[in-house]
Amino acid sequence: MSLAKPMMRGMLAKRLRLHLPLAFVVSFSSALAFNLLIAQPRKRAYAEFYKNYDSVKDFNAMREAGIFESVRPIEK
Amino acid sequence: MFHLAAGRVGSLAAKRATAALSTSSARMMASHGHEVSTAVDMSKPQYTDSADYPLPDVPYKQVLTDADKSLKQKEKGPWNQLSKEEKLALYRLKFLKTYPEMRHSTPEWKTALGAALFLMGLTGFIVWWQKVYVFPKRPRTFEGDWPEKQLKRMLDMRINPVQGISSKWDYEKGQWK
């Protein structure tokens, strides 16, 4: 009976051949995905919101709704 | 002692580690082994089947028959004079299991999964009983029109207007977008 000689050394190197580039690829893709899917849209949403934001109008709307304790709704 | 706990227990059978300390299962842990009546002397080197401990401290068979002894004598000579069966016999004198046998999976995971799910189900009954006999009344903020009024107040306050709840409400039309 003659078996093939088993692998005696170099196991870590063999594993790293795949897993090291894979680690980089996975990390970079997740970072990229997060940026494209979450970070950028969020920045855009905030920019859009504040582009034509009238804070006084918003305040008055809130005042009318009666949520403040320091100012009452505008009396007619 | 460390490799004894690691040997032959597999990933699911953490409980078996305590079995390793009991008298009966020092060697036959994979099979729900036959009970050994004599206690194992833990102060002596043990035999273990472990993938990360290739050469155990002692050979498996330490009490050799005459046939075994003569085989061991033959082993001292040139090995190409040994037949295949003799080589295998020598292997089995030294080791209980081969690596593939050691690594062979068991159906134990089904028992483990079943037990876990069963206990989760049992927990459900316990929680049900607690709901009836233990838990206090729910806060009034869940009753009647309180949740609706709470939501209206949140919208009035413009909570999370950029991406959150108030951004989903159309203030002009007074309805959800």
Side-chain angles (χ1 to χ4, degrees):
Chain A
M1 53 167 189
S2 54
L3 295 166
K5 184 171 174 176
M7 193 178 186
M8 306 289 268
R9 57 182 72 188
M11 283 91 159
L12 182 62
K14 184 178 175 193
R15 183 187 158 80
L16 283 180
R17 268 189 71 88
L18 172 69
H19 286 83
L20 201 59
L22 192 65
F24 275 92
V25 166
V26 168
S27 310
F28 279 113
S29 336
S30 357
L32 200 70
F34 185 88
N35 190 32
L36 288 176
L37 297 173
I38 297 173
Q40 292 302 339
R42 187 171 289 165
K43 288 182 190 170
R44 259 176 274 136
Y46 273 79
E48 279 303 314
F49 181 81
Y50 283 110
K51 198 160 65 170
N52 301 312
Y53 181 62
D54 183 0
S55 59
V56 177
K57 178 172 159 226
D58 213 25
F59 168 77
N60 285 323
M62 284 194 251
R63 180 183 179 173
E64 286 307 301
I67 58 149
F68 291 124
E69 291 178 16
S70 50
V71 283
R72 278 188 288 268
I74 300 164
E75 270 128 36
K76 287 279 157 72
Chain B
M1 214 37 192
F2 201 70
H3 59 268
L4 181 70
R8 292 302 303 114
V9 288
S11 57
L12 290 174
K15 289 183 276 189
R16 296 279 191 87
T18 56
L21 302 172
S22 74
T23 57
S24 64
S25 49
R27 289 187 193 165
M28 305 290 271
M29 280 192 235
S31 56
H32 291 282
H34 55 276
E35 303 302 316
V36 177
S37 52
T38 55
V40 175
D41 186 355
M42 290 299 204
S43 63
K44 296 211 189 95
Q46 302 279 325
Y47 175 81
T48 338
D49 276 315
S50 177
D52 53 4
Y53 202 74
L55 301 173
D57 300 331
V58 290
Y60 177 57
K61 266 187 106 179
Q62 286 167 274
V63 180
L64 301 173
T65 67
D66 289 329
D68 296 335
K69 284 186 186 150
S70 63
L71 192 59
K72 290 300 260 181
Q73 275 301 114
K74 194 174 175 191
E75 194 192 16
K76 292 182 183 171
W79 284 345
N80 46 23
Q81 285 174 6
L82 293 167
S83 73
K84 180 177 171 182
E85 292 76 25
E86 284 174 330
K87 288 179 190 170
L88 286 173
L90 282 167
Y91 182 90
R92 292 293 175 178
L93 284 180
K94 202 163 198 156
F95 302 101
L96 172 61
K97 291 188 178 211
T98 65
Y99 261 75
E101 285 167 14
M102 231 190 277
R103 289 185 168 140
H104 198 261
S105 59
T106 66
E108 190 192 4
W109 68 272
K110 299 176 201 170
T111 313
L113 189 66
L117 292 172
F118 176 77
L119 289 170
M120 280 194 239
L122 212 60
T123 309
F125 280 109
I126 294 173
V127 173
W128 184 5
W129 181 87
Q130 286 179 321
K131 178 86 182 67
V132 174
Y133 289 107
V134 179
F135 294 162
K137 219 163 83 94
R138 281 214 304 185
R140 60 187 166 144
T141 59
F142 288 99
E143 285 159 34
D145 59 355
W146 193 298
E148 197 185 320
K149 286 160 132 184
Q150 186 169 341
L151 178 57
K152 174 157 188 2
R153 191 174 152 79
M154 282 170 73
L155 293 172
D156 288 340
M157 288 197 281
R158 308 297 193 268
I159 297 291
N160 281 333
V162 183
Q163 282 184 308
I165 191 147
S166 301
S167 68
K168 307 284 188 257
W169 179 259
D170 188 348
Y171 284 93
E172 268 106 62
K173 292 195 202 133
Q175 62 186 26
W176 293 109
K177 284 186 184 162

